[in-house]
Amino acid sequence: MLRRALAGCLMLAAAGLATVAAPAAHADFKAPYARAAAIIDADGSLNESKNVVRSWRAGTGRYCVQLAHHIDAREALIQLTPRHMLRLPYIAYRHPSATCQDDNTITVNVYSTHTSRLADSGFDLLVS
């Protein structure tokens, strides 16, 4: 009985590791549910996008992403995926913010998980 329980636990642990080791989802530009998507480079430039007007780097680890006028940033469901290891992007503010003062703009801050400070890094943004 104990042997079966341990075997079951090992299988669950292995399944969990397989899930964690799976590649992160990146912005899918052709998905019908994606109202907007973008690949933002570490320098703030817009690599590829759908319904994103522009993006820019506002400072070290601070980025602004302006959505098209017909997509409301305040009511959107937003997913961020880091493009570099040891970096954690998160939504700091939706319009308005002191960093990104343009209309319909999302402010994204990226932190280094090693130093816990703002750090430049690219990320994928998906708005649905």
Side-chain angles (χ1 to χ4, degrees):
M1 177 104 134
L2 182 60
R3 194 180 230 169
R4 267 191 218 157
L6 288 175
C9 289
L10 286 174
M11 288 181 63
L12 285 174
L17 287 175
T19 303
V20 170
H26 295 293
D28 186 3
F29 297 99
K30 296 178 182 166
Y33 59 84
R35 295 191 294 159
I39 297 174
I40 311 297
D41 291 333
D43 64 356
S45 62
L46 193 58
N47 189 331
E48 191 173 346
S49 70
K50 171 185 175 182
N51 290 328
V52 173
V53 176
R54 66 186 183 121
S55 67
W56 65 96
R57 183 177 160 269
T60 302
R62 297 182 194 275
Y63 298 89
C64 302
V65 180
Q66 187 176 23
L67 302 179
H69 66 86
H70 62 277
I71 298 173
D72 189 1
R74 295 171 294 177
E75 296 180 5
L77 175 64
I78 301 168
Q79 177 183 345
L80 295 171
T81 305
R83 296 201 60 82
H84 299 97
M85 299 273 301
L86 301 176
R87 297 291 189 259
L88 182 63
Y90 77 95
I91 302 165
Y93 299 99
R94 296 173 194 233
H95 174 75
S97 79
T99 305
C100 307
Q101 298 176 357
D102 291 353
D103 289 334
N104 211 25
T105 303
I106 300 168
T107 305
V108 177
N109 287 351
V110 180
Y111 280 90
S112 167
T113 58
H114 182 68
T115 64
S116 300
R117 295 183 181 190
L118 288 167
D120 292 336
S121 178
F123 57 91
D124 292 351
L125 176 125
L126 181 68
V127 178
S128 54

